[in-house]
Amino acid sequence: MSQNTQALRQAIQEKLQTAITLELSTLPPYLTAYFSICPNTNIKATEAIRSVFMEEMLHLCLAANVLVSIGGTVSFSAKTIPQYPCVLGFKGREFNIDLARFSRQSVNTFRRIELPDYMPPLDESLHEKENVSVSGYSIGEFYNSILDDLHTLHDSCISSKEALFIADASKQITETYFWRGGGKPIAVVDMDTARAALKEIIEQGEGTHISLYDNDNVEFGQTRELAHFFKFNEIYYEREYEENDDPLKPPSGKKFAVSYGEVYPLKTNCKQSDFADNEELAQLNHKFNMTYTLMLKQIEDAYAGNPHVLYNAIMNGMHDLSPIARTMAKIKIDPNDPLSETGAPSFEWVQPLEIKETKNGI
């Protein structure tokens, strides 16, 4: 392989590693807002947030499929997973992401994350050093740049009669090992499937070009869904979209209730150290973090040639996180705190050795 081809392949692998970190960085804030909502309230908002974080897991897997298909390795560690508060830096717009309760402010942050590339920024940038730096104005522009690089590398490989993609997709996640939700995992074995995988990420987040909707009804015969930005926009404006609404304008349809008062008063950006004087919360958060870290290690293992492990990661990981988080949300950190702030998971890494010794008790 020529030096230039190898350098471009490595650059694309690094971009895809960033893409995986980007997708992972959205999960804890979405989950924290979701866990904070009191049961049987804010039904429409709850359903929207849940559908989005399920699809973000799909996006992580699609990006990982592309990475593995060109010889890269999926890896998670204490140094590579996002820590909060996290500064997400797009080209020309940077902003904080917090682990925070469901509020109009948190929903606005979610809108900023999912902003389509044809829309202006929602507000001023922070101009801070980014924890996650994305070489694009939006998620869509970032993924399109990866796709452009892949086309260039693919053409170069054809000219030099070299293989870009690994034909064996046994180290990738396919529908056999996935769960139900919008979209489907795509095994990446050539340029066409790589393009389909990356376009699926873009369209679920931003919609098809200047459109409210993703393309899952056409691609997979599924129910047509609003793209992520527009789901959050409905919550923000407390109003549904009409089919022919202008994507550049707020929704004009039926109003629905959003109650930010029916939310547990979670402390923002909790750390394990915040629970030093509350043994119950300390134990619950440690258990949550062990389960979260184990889930990430299982996803890593799935992409090392054991794809069946992904099902365990979701069934025994994601499903186990919810009851722990909901229990924490009801417990005051300090009984004497006038704000009565309650606990929330910190999504911190726990050393794998510690997990190995205790995982039977998870």
Side-chain angles (χ1 to χ4, degrees), residues 29 32-37 98-107 110 260 263-269 339-342 344:
T32 300
Y34 177 78
F35 293 144
S36 75
I37 299 173
D98 296 306
L99 301 182
R101 70 192 72 160
F102 177 65
S103 66
R104 199 161 191 265
Q105 180 179 349
S106 64
V107 173
F110 301 163
Y260 296 114
V263 174
Y264 295 112
L266 274 59
K267 177 180 172 67
T268 301
N269 295 324
L339 297 177
S340 298
E341 289 187 318
T342 59

Coordinates of all heavy atoms in Angstrom, one line a residue, residues 29 32-37 98-107 110 260 263-269 339-342 344:
P29 N -26.4 12.4 28.2 CA -27.3 13.5 28.4 C -28.7 13.2 28.0 O -29.7 13.6 28.7 CB -26.7 14.7 27.5 CG -25.8 14.0 26.6 CD -25.3 12.8 27.3
T32 N -30.0 10.9 30.8 CA -30.2 11.6 32.1 C -31.5 12.4 32.0 O -32.3 12.3 33.0 CB -29.0 12.6 32.3 OG1 -27.8 11.8 32.4 CG2 -29.2 13.3 33.7
A33 N -31.8 13.1 31.0 CA -33.1 13.8 30.8 C -34.2 12.8 30.9 O -35.3 13.1 31.6 CB -33.1 14.6 29.5
Y34 N -34.1 11.7 30.2 CA -35.1 10.7 30.2 C -35.4 10.1 31.6 O -36.6 10.0 32.0 CB -34.7 9.6 29.2 CG -35.6 8.4 29.1 CD1 -36.7 8.4 28.3 CD2 -35.3 7.2 29.7 CE1 -37.6 7.3 28.2 CE2 -36.1 6.1 29.6 CZ -37.2 6.1 28.8 OH -38.0 5.0 28.7
F35 N -34.3 9.8 32.3 CA -34.5 9.2 33.7 C -35.1 10.2 34.6 O -35.7 9.8 35.6 CB -33.1 8.8 34.2 CG -32.5 7.6 33.5 CD1 -31.1 7.5 33.3 CD2 -33.3 6.6 33.0 CE1 -30.5 6.5 32.6 CE2 -32.7 5.5 32.3 CZ -31.3 5.4 32.1
S36 N -34.9 11.5 34.4 CA -35.4 12.5 35.3 C -36.9 12.7 35.3 O -37.5 13.3 36.2 CB -34.7 13.8 35.1 OG -35.2 14.5 33.9
I37 N -37.6 12.3 34.2 CA -39.0 12.6 34.0 C -39.8 11.7 34.9 O -39.6 10.4 34.9 CB -39.4 12.4 32.5 CG1 -38.6 13.4 31.7 CG2 -40.9 12.6 32.4 CD1 -38.8 13.3 30.2
D98 N -24.3 19.0 29.2 CA -24.4 18.6 30.7 C -25.2 17.4 30.9 O -26.1 17.1 30.0 CB -25.0 19.8 31.5 CG -24.2 21.0 31.5 OD1 -23.0 21.0 31.8 OD2 -24.7 22.1 31.1
L99 N -25.0 16.7 32.0 CA -25.9 15.6 32.4 C -26.9 16.3 33.3 O -26.6 16.6 34.5 CB -25.1 14.6 33.2 CG -24.0 13.9 32.4 CD1 -23.3 12.8 33.3 CD2 -24.5 13.2 31.2
A100 N -28.0 16.6 32.8 CA -29.0 17.5 33.4 C -30.4 17.0 33.3 O -30.7 16.2 32.4 CB -28.9 18.9 32.9
R101 N -31.2 17.4 34.2 CA -32.7 17.0 34.2 C -33.3 17.5 33.0 O -32.8 18.5 32.3 CB -33.4 17.5 35.5 CG -33.5 19.0 35.5 CD -34.0 19.6 36.9 NE -32.9 19.5 37.8 CZ -32.9 20.3 38.9 NH1 -33.9 21.1 39.2 NH2 -31.9 20.2 39.8
F102 N -34.5 17.0 32.7 CA -35.3 17.4 31.6 C -35.8 18.9 31.8 O -36.4 19.2 32.8 CB -36.5 16.5 31.4 CG -37.5 16.9 30.3 CD1 -37.1 16.9 29.0 CD2 -38.8 17.2 30.7 CE1 -38.1 17.2 28.0 CE2 -39.7 17.6 29.7 CZ -39.4 17.6 28.4
S103 N -35.4 19.8 30.9 CA -35.8 21.2 31.0 C -35.8 21.8 29.6 O -35.3 21.2 28.7 CB -34.8 21.9 31.9 OG -33.5 22.0 31.3
R104 N -36.3 23.0 29.5 CA -36.3 23.7 28.2 C -34.8 23.9 27.8 O -34.5 23.8 26.6 CB -37.1 25.0 28.2 CG -37.5 25.5 26.9 CD -38.6 26.5 26.9 NE -39.1 26.7 25.6 CZ -38.8 27.8 24.8 NH1 -37.9 28.6 25.3 NH2 -39.3 28.0 23.7
Q105 N -34.0 24.2 28.8 CA -32.5 24.4 28.5 C -31.9 23.1 27.9 O -31.1 23.2 26.9 CB -31.8 24.9 29.7 CG -30.3 25.1 29.5 CD -29.6 25.6 30.7 OE1 -30.2 26.0 31.7 NE2 -28.3 25.6 30.7
S106 N -32.2 22.0 28.6 CA -31.6 20.7 28.1 C -32.1 20.4 26.7 O -31.3 19.9 25.8 CB -31.8 19.6 29.1 OG -33.2 19.3 29.2
V107 N -33.4 20.6 26.5 CA -33.9 20.3 25.1 C -33.3 21.2 24.1 O -33.0 20.8 23.0 CB -35.5 20.5 25.1 CG1 -36.0 20.4 23.7 CG2 -36.1 19.5 26.0
F110 N -30.1 19.7 23.1 CA -30.3 18.6 22.2 C -30.5 19.1 20.8 O -30.1 18.5 19.8 CB -31.5 17.8 22.7 CG -31.3 17.2 24.1 CD1 -32.4 16.7 24.8 CD2 -30.1 17.1 24.7 CE1 -32.3 16.2 26.0 CE2 -29.9 16.6 26.0 CZ -31.0 16.1 26.6
Y260 N -42.3 20.8 32.7 CA -40.9 20.7 33.3 C -40.9 20.7 34.8 O -39.9 20.4 35.4 CB -40.1 21.9 32.8 CG -39.9 22.0 31.3 CD1 -40.4 23.0 30.5 CD2 -39.1 20.9 30.7 CE1 -40.2 23.0 29.2 CE2 -38.9 20.9 29.3 CZ -39.5 22.0 28.6 OH -39.3 22.0 27.2
V263 N -40.6 16.6 37.1 CA -39.3 16.1 36.9 C -38.6 16.0 38.2 O -38.7 16.9 39.0 CB -38.5 17.1 35.9 CG1 -37.1 16.6 35.8 CG2 -39.2 17.1 34.5
Y264 N -37.8 15.0 38.4 CA -37.0 14.9 39.6 C -35.9 15.9 39.6 O -35.3 16.2 38.6 CB -36.4 13.5 39.8 CG -37.5 12.4 40.0 CD1 -37.7 11.4 39.0 CD2 -38.3 12.3 41.1 CE1 -38.6 10.4 39.1 CE2 -39.2 11.3 41.3 CZ -39.4 10.4 40.3 OH -40.4 9.4 40.5
P265 N -35.6 16.5 40.8 CA -34.6 17.6 40.8 C -33.2 17.1 40.8 O -32.4 17.3 41.7 CB -35.0 18.4 42.1 CG -35.5 17.3 43.0 CD -36.3 16.4 42.1
L266 N -32.8 16.4 39.7 CA -31.4 15.9 39.7 C -30.4 16.9 39.7 O -30.5 18.0 39.1 CB -31.3 15.1 38.3 CG -31.7 13.6 38.2 CD1 -33.2 13.5 38.6 CD2 -31.4 13.1 36.9
K267 N -29.3 16.6 40.4 CA -28.1 17.5 40.4 C -27.4 17.4 39.1 O -27.3 16.3 38.5 CB -27.2 17.1 41.6 CG -25.9 17.9 41.6 CD -25.0 17.4 42.7 CE -23.6 18.1 42.7 NZ -23.7 19.5 43.0
T268 N -27.0 18.5 38.5 CA -26.4 18.5 37.2 C -24.9 18.0 37.3 O -24.2 18.4 38.2 CB -26.4 19.9 36.6 OG1 -27.7 20.4 36.5 CG2 -25.7 20.0 35.3
N269 N -24.5 17.2 36.4 CA -23.2 16.7 36.2 C -22.6 16.1 37.5 O -21.6 16.4 38.1 CB -22.2 17.8 35.8 CG -22.5 18.4 34.4 OD1 -22.9 17.6 33.5 ND2 -22.4 19.7 34.3
L339 N -32.3 23.0 48.2 CA -32.7 22.7 46.8 C -33.3 21.3 46.6 O -33.9 21.0 45.6 CB -31.6 23.0 45.8 CG -31.0 24.4 45.7 CD1 -29.8 24.4 44.8 CD2 -32.1 25.4 45.3
S340 N -33.0 20.5 47.6 CA -33.5 19.1 47.6 C -33.0 18.3 46.4 O -33.7 17.5 45.8 CB -35.0 19.0 47.7 OG -35.4 19.6 48.9
E341 N -31.8 18.6 45.9 CA -31.3 18.0 44.7 C -31.1 16.5 44.9 O -30.6 16.0 46.0 CB -30.0 18.6 44.2 CG -30.2 20.0 43.6 CD -28.9 20.5 43.0 OE1 -27.8 20.3 43.6 OE2 -29.0 21.1 41.9
T342 N -31.5 15.7 43.9 CA -31.4 14.2 44.0 C -30.2 13.7 43.2 O -29.6 14.4 42.4 CB -32.7 13.6 43.6 OG1 -33.0 14.0 42.2 CG2 -33.9 14.0 44.5
A344 N -28.1 11.4 40.5 CA -28.1 11.0 39.0 C -26.8 10.3 38.7 O -25.8 10.6 39.3 CB -28.3 12.3 38.2

